[in-house]
Amino acid sequence: MARHAGMEHHAFAGPADTHHVTLRTPAELADALPYLLGYRPEDSIVLAALHDQGGRGRFGGRARLGIPAGPDDWASAARQLAHGLVTGSERRGRRPAQMVAYLCQEPGQGESGRQVMERLRPLAQHIRVECGLLDAPVVEALCVSGGRLWSYCCTGEACCPAEGIAMGLPGTSVLAAAATYAGLQVRGTLRELRARLLPRETAAALDQEAALDCAGRKLVPRILDDTSRAQVAEETMALARRVMRRYAEAPAVSGTLMADARDDELLEHTEAAVLILGLQDRTTRDWAAAWMEGDEAGPALRLWRALARRCVGSYGEHAAAPLTLAGWVAWSTGDELEAREALAMALGADSEYLFARLLHQACNEGLDPESVRRCLRAERLERERRGRPASEQAERAVEAEQAIEAGRAETDALASDGTTEPVADDAAAPAPGCAVSPATALAPTTAEGSRRRRRARRAGTAEDRSGTTASGHTRPPGTGTRKAAGRRRAAGDAGGVRLCRGDTEGEA
């Protein structure tokens, strides 16, 4: 089965436990979609689970997937979406009784909404078949296009005319009023959200790329050197704190575009370059992840967004670190929508970035981020209390992970028999201070997850591509990708960071 990137799962939660709205018509179901997701989907397949509650359907989990461009991929996309939502709901203890399906796509040039509906009809049928095979029949399938909606399940001319039903103005329905009263918000489209995290394509991009080249020539040799690597980490953290303080003290502005432009003005090219390169080190990134709550979270999130926008030109892969941090802070502060998008974009920048992959999976499955927060808090408190140098902290983190690896031998034997790994309270904190990567706290605990970890280690990805190796070094650029495999064999898998343009791979 082909795997389609970008699938999102949404656990059902929120004020709907106390505010009830009854939806009876296809138009009301279509009007509810932005409030179910928190944004207005574009080019999307959306499945919403319904649970039986006293003879009525109650919305449960939701899953979204981009509509594949080729019809040949529609069947596998429908299968993946239906299976993912059903199994995800089962993990949360409630299997869907029924489904509502939505196909959202705007007409192309010279195309009408009705033509879009007819063109997507086979996709709707694939979804209905796959959900039926999982004993979760689709009770309504809607196409929303060009400001109108059509039902694939109802052929009644009186209620579902062939020309479709005109959608009302956003925010004018009874449901919109009830959602506003309940505190539910719709934040535009995913395209608008992603725009805050994408590299800026302006004349300043050339200056930023030149600053990254210059900073790389100075920083990469220092990071590759064991004697100076810890100092670079401390300098990176100190600079990040200064920029965050600058953001916190700046006067507020209205609108996301204005706010992002103001943050960009407050961050110099050289500062952005140093921070982007410094965060390629896993230990530095994990320390930065501790700015996840309270007064630190807001400025930190703004900084990670700004750094993601500065990963221009040939530095696109470097965005994985700030995007992952942005996703983590958003998830930690309760913004699951931005968290999912930022983490998906991090995986787009670097598909093997393990911290992003684990966070993305955990967020999609509706897990509680507190386990990661607890680990990061403990590690930060211990570091501050003992005042140990960063080099000792890095060594302690590596030793802790090596101890965990050594202790997995017995667990792997259990996993080979299909036994679930036990999760003790100290699994996330094997030693006082929880000095392990936050990725460890999110590591899979099933037998399948254990086998996945073993495969990853055989492939040489002990944490993630920008993370430390067994020797505690950061990896060179491209490590873990098929494109770079030949270069690694030729130059050796020397520890390092993503090298800048003009540098050579291998020993520094």
Side-chain angles (χ1 to χ4, degrees):
M1 179 179 70
R3 176 138 185 102
H4 300 269
M7 186 167 71
E8 301 165 359
H9 298 273
H10 305 247
F12 179 71
D17 291 335
T18 54
H19 300 274
H20 302 274
V21 177
T22 301
L23 308 177
R24 296 182 176 88
T25 67
E28 290 175 342
L29 285 172
D31 189 51
L33 181 57
Y35 299 97
L36 292 175
L37 298 179
Y39 61 92
R40 302 187 186 282
E42 300 173 309
D43 293 322
S44 298
I45 315 167
V46 180
L47 269 183
L50 292 178
H51 300 290
D52 184 31
Q53 188 176 46
R56 294 187 175 186
R58 182 189 178 107
F59 279 115
R62 285 82 71 192
R64 187 201 71 87
L65 185 66
I67 297 177
D72 291 344
D73 296 325
W74 288 356
S76 61
R79 189 176 310 117
Q80 178 187 341
L81 195 67
H83 184 268
L85 181 55
V86 170
T87 55
S89 298
E90 288 177 335
R91 280 195 297 269
R92 291 187 288 271
R94 295 196 66 185
R95 196 178 196 281
Q98 298 171 323
M99 297 281 197
V100 175
Y102 301 85
L103 301 180
C104 306
Q105 189 174 76
E106 288 304 298
Q109 187 173 5
E111 191 177 29
S112 67
R114 183 172 180 179
Q115 289 172 322
V116 173
M117 181 271 293
E118 292 294 348
R119 176 168 53 80
L120 296 179
R121 187 181 291 276
L123 175 57
Q125 184 60 25
H126 284 306
I127 295 170
R128 297 175 71 180
V129 169
E130 294 299 334
C131 290
L133 292 174
L134 295 171
D135 198 24
V138 174
V139 295
E140 184 60 277
L142 301 173
C143 177
V144 180
S145 180
R148 306 186 75 84
L149 68 95
W150 289 263
S151 171
Y152 290 111
C153 298
C154 177
T155 57
E157 186 65 25
C159 58
C160 299
E163 66 272 15
I165 303 171
M167 299 282 292
L169 292 175
T172 60
S173 66
V174 174
L175 173 61
T180 301
Y181 177 76
L184 300 178
Q185 297 180 350
V186 176
R187 298 171 51 186
T189 66
L190 290 181
R191 185 179 306 165
E192 294 168 348
L193 181 59
R194 293 189 188 109
R196 305 190 69 185
L197 302 168
L198 289 172
R200 291 289 191 251
E201 297 180 358
T202 64
L206 295 176
D207 294 334
Q208 182 61 70
E209 190 168 11
L212 284 161
D213 289 341
C214 181
R217 286 190 288 270
K218 298 176 182 178
L219 284 178
V220 169
R222 295 182 62 204
I223 297 176
L224 291 173
D225 186 349
D226 285 342
T227 61
S228 58
R229 176 171 170 261
Q231 184 179 356
V232 174
E234 292 170 349
E235 292 170 358
T236 302
M237 295 292 287
L239 175 58
R241 290 189 193 94
R242 290 198 299 273
V243 177
M244 287 170 54
R245 191 178 306 115
R246 195 182 305 160
Y247 281 175
E249 295 172 353
V253 296
S254 60
T256 57
L257 290 177
M258 294 292 293
D260 290 345
R262 186 269 318 278
D263 288 347
D264 288 340
E265 291 177 357
L266 294 174
L267 181 64
E268 298 178 2
H269 292 314
T270 54
E271 292 175 327
V274 169
L275 290 171
I276 289 169
L277 294 173
L279 288 173
Q280 304 309 306
D281 172 59
R282 191 202 69 183
T283 301
T284 309
R285 180 208 66 194
D286 288 354
W287 290 353
W291 296 323
M292 60 194 170
E293 54 192 347
D295 294 338
E296 295 175 330
L301 180 55
R302 289 162 58 186
L303 176 56
W304 308 144
R305 289 187 193 129
L307 292 179
R309 295 193 293 267
R310 299 297 187 95
C311 293
V312 296
S314 59
Y315 291 87
E317 281 192 355
H318 288 66
L323 285 170
T324 300
L325 289 171
W328 159 239
V329 176
W331 184 35
S332 176
T333 54
D335 189 349
E336 294 187 5
L337 174 58
E338 180 168 1
R340 284 190 296 268
E341 286 308 304
L343 293 169
M345 291 175 68
L347 292 173
D350 184 347
S351 61
E352 298 185 21
Y353 203 74
L354 183 58
F355 191 27
R357 193 187 317 150
L358 293 173
L359 287 171
H360 190 247
Q361 179 181 352
C363 183
N364 280 340
E365 293 181 356
L367 301 183
D368 189 348
E370 180 58 25
S371 61
V372 184
R373 283 197 295 259
R374 186 169 55 247
C375 178
L376 289 168
R377 286 190 206 108
E379 197 277 336
R380 179 179 180 178
L381 286 173
E382 183 185 1
R383 188 170 66 249
E384 293 174 351
R385 178 174 61 85
R386 297 193 177 185
R388 294 185 301 194
S391 57
E392 186 177 347
Q393 288 289 331
E395 291 173 2
R396 187 172 182 276
V398 172
E399 291 171 359
E401 291 193 355
Q402 290 174 341
I404 293 172
E405 176 66 21
R408 283 197 176 113
E410 182 177 355
T411 300
D412 287 345
L414 293 173
S416 64
D417 297 329
T419 307
T420 301
E421 297 181 20
V423 182
D425 289 340
D426 62 352
C434 192
V436 298
S437 165
T440 305
L442 289 166
T445 57
T446 61
E448 179 183 357
S450 177
R451 289 191 291 272
R452 192 183 308 123
R453 286 195 298 269
R454 293 200 301 275
R455 288 196 297 270
R457 286 179 176 79
R458 294 187 191 108
T461 55
E463 208 278 330
D464 58 46
R465 289 181 53 204
S466 66
T468 55
T469 62
S471 63
H473 292 295
T474 51
R475 289 190 176 82
T479 300
T481 62
R482 284 185 288 272
K483 183 184 294 185
R487 295 198 303 270
R488 285 204 311 277
R489 285 191 293 270
D493 201 4
V497 295
R498 300 180 194 277
L499 300 181
C500 305
R501 209 171 45 187
D503 290 313
T504 57
E505 291 187 291
E507 295 289 344

